[in-house]
Each structure stands twice: as structure tokens, then as C-alpha cells.
Amino acid sequence: MPRRSVMFTPGDRPEMMRKAPTAGADVIVFDLEDAVAPDAKAEARQEVREVLADPDFAPDCEVCVRVNPTGIAADDDLRGLLGNGEEARDAAETLDAVMLPKTGTAGDAETLADLLAERDAEVPILALVETAAGILAAEDIAAVPEVDALVFGAEDLAADIGATRTDEGTEVLHAREHVVLAASAAGVDAIDTVYTDIEDIGGLREETEFAVELGYDGKMAIHPAQVSPINESFTPDPERVEWAERVLEAKAQADAEGRGVFRVDGEMIDAPLIAQAERVVEYAEAAAER
């Protein structure tokens, strides 16, 4: 399943969580971290658990929970979500992934993986790298077997390094590109940072298209109105899909004829272009299934 759009919903708002799948996001994230006040964490865990365990809650998208950073808080979150009882078992069946904020080292992800294993929850980890330490350790984090995506958090990173956020984003561009490289090297997804101005859909489209150019697989959303523009940007256009299909058809013919070199539309096709074509077709097919 693609992860074009990854939409957050506060974990203490059950009515919003139940409605979240209707936004059309590929991934919905019930947030137990920043979206929940410290004194409301315990209640939020129960709210998320009840929604996940509800037999009437049957979303057709990936369901993720953002826990608090690795340590006692994350352990409390998982205990609240996946503790004992029938409700916990039902919740575990609905949970598809866990997002780990402030991932600073591979050890952070490994610790969360161990906590999940203790509760027989074999779900992937989406590692949110949003500090200087996390960016510098992105390659090691992505290499942890349970990590299935690196998620770039520009806002917290800027605060961590004392940078001033600008419309151009040059202050975080190096880190943004580094996350894509680390994710690609490990063969995991790369999810881009949020666009904080929920009323500026034009700006969101522009930034999302740039994320596509950088090589990202998807982008985080903080409002349902952001989902469609993000999905559209990450869905290959028909012309691109037709090109990719021609490349793969020509490759199949060249393979059958024992030729290692071939052309499509006058362009010499090599291994990197074949890989691009395979990625385009795979993403188009996955998006069509949504």
C-alpha cells in the first residue's frame, strides 16, 4: 500500500479518529504525543484503544499510532493500547504501524521494536527523525529491520538546531535530502515534513511537488483538506505511466531477444531508467487500488 499521505488526528478526540478514514489518506496516525496534553495522556490511550477495538471501525487505509518518545512514556502508551484483555487483542488486530517521534539513534527504534515484540505486536515502525542527532543517524535508523519508513520533521529540527524557518526551506534542505538518501539506501519509505499553513493549498501543492522531485514517497498532513492535494502530487500522471509501461514492455522484448540495450521514444534506456519505470508503475497501481 502506498504512503502518499500520512494524516495526523489527535488521540484524545474519538469523534475525529472515527471520521479520519473518510479523508482519503493512505495512512492515518492517531497521535498520543504532541497533540495530547501531558495530563490527558492516560485518557487518550484509552480513547485510541477503544476506537481500534471497535468492530465498526474498519478503515481501508493503514492505521498507525504515534507513541511518545522511547522510554517510560512509550512503554506506557503500548501498555495502554496493547495490554491485557479482549479489547487489547482487538486493538492490536487493527493497528498496522507505530510512529516513533524524536528517533535519535538506531537504539531508540530497537527499543521500541523490543517493546512491541513483548506484546506480540509485529508491526512496522515509522521512525520520525526531527533532531540533529536523528538526521545524522538516519542511515543506522533506517537499517533497523523493524523500521519501514523514515519520516522527516522539519519544524522540530529547526528548533533543535536554532534555525529560522523560511518559506524557501533552505535551512533544512540538506537534512531533507539526507533523509531521502538514507531511506533509499535501506529500501524503506521516505515521508516528507508537514506543511503548517492549512489554508495555503497552493503552497502545499508547490512544496509537495518539490518533495516528489527530491524522491520522497509521501508527505505528512495535519488537516483533511491537505490530503487530496498530497495524493494527487504523489500519483504519477497518465503520461508518465504510459512512458513507464512502454519502457517495461521494451525491456521484456529486449530480454527475450537477448539484447542488453534498447531505446524508447528515441531515448537510450539503462538500469536507472528501468528502475524508475518499475517504481512509477508500482506506485500507479497501488494508488489505483486506493
Side-chain angles (χ1 to χ4, degrees):
M1 183 177 291
R3 291 183 175 128
R4 299 167 299 174
S5 50
V6 179
M7 189 186 78
F8 287 83
T9 300
D12 58 353
R13 299 290 298 276
E15 73 286 356
M16 293 179 66
M17 288 189 283
R18 294 178 189 279
K19 187 178 179 181
T22 64
D26 290 337
V27 185
I28 54 174
V29 182
F30 296 158
D31 192 6
L32 292 175
E33 194 212 12
D34 287 348
V36 179
D39 59 356
K41 300 285 188 183
E43 181 180 354
R45 294 180 192 114
Q46 183 60 33
E47 297 283 10
V48 171
R49 177 169 167 168
E50 289 178 1
V51 171
L52 293 178
D54 186 347
D56 292 329
F57 182 72
D60 61 349
C61 59
E62 185 174 3
V63 180
C64 178
V65 172
R66 177 162 74 169
V67 296
N68 285 276
T70 298
I72 295 175
D75 192 28
D76 288 344
D77 289 339
L78 294 179
R79 185 182 300 110
L81 292 172
L82 307 173
N84 298 323
E86 182 176 347
E87 185 182 74
R89 290 193 295 273
D90 291 341
E93 291 180 1
T94 305
L95 183 67
D96 297 313
V98 173
M99 182 178 290
L100 178 62
K102 307 294 189 300
T103 312
T105 67
D108 290 340
E110 290 167 348
T111 297
L112 180 59
D114 289 342
L115 292 174
L116 288 165
E118 289 174 5
R119 292 167 176 79
D120 296 322
E122 296 183 3
V123 296
I125 295 171
L126 313 185
L128 183 51
V129 287
E130 51 188 341
T131 63
I135 297 297
L136 293 176
E139 294 170 61
D140 292 336
I141 293 168
V144 174
E146 292 80 6
V147 170
D148 202 42
L150 289 183
V151 186
F152 176 53
E155 305 306 318
D156 279 21
L157 174 64
D160 186 50
I161 64 177
T164 300
R165 289 292 276 129
T166 65
D167 292 339
E168 295 78 14
T170 52
E171 69 283 353
V172 296
L173 181 57
H174 173 74
R176 197 177 182 190
E177 293 174 325
H178 183 73
V179 169
V180 172
L181 291 172
S184 180
V188 302
D189 287 341
I191 309 300
D192 192 35
T193 190
V194 299
Y195 190 76
T196 57
D197 188 345
I198 61 176
E199 297 182 355
D200 183 11
I201 299 301
L204 170 65
R205 288 185 184 276
E206 182 177 350
E207 182 171 284
T208 305
E209 288 167 5
F210 182 56
V212 173
E213 293 173 357
L214 289 178
Y216 275 91
D217 299 289
K219 188 172 182 64
M220 292 188 285
I222 55 175
H223 191 276
Q226 295 182 324
V227 170
S228 288
I230 291 174
N231 283 349
E232 291 168 6
S233 294
F234 279 102
T235 300
D237 60 51
E239 293 79 9
R240 184 68 169 165
V241 176
E242 290 173 4
W243 167 84
E245 290 174 340
R246 289 197 300 274
V247 168
L248 297 183
E249 289 173 3
K251 179 183 183 300
Q253 183 175 347
D255 289 345
E257 297 173 356
R259 293 185 290 112
V261 178
F262 59 95
R263 293 176 181 269
V264 172
D265 301 336
E267 180 182 24
M268 188 69 71
I269 302 299
D270 57 8
L273 288 177
I274 293 170
Q276 285 185 29
E278 291 172 340
R279 177 185 173 91
V280 167
V281 170
E282 180 182 4
Y283 229 64
E285 290 176 347
E289 294 175 358
R290 289 285 295 129

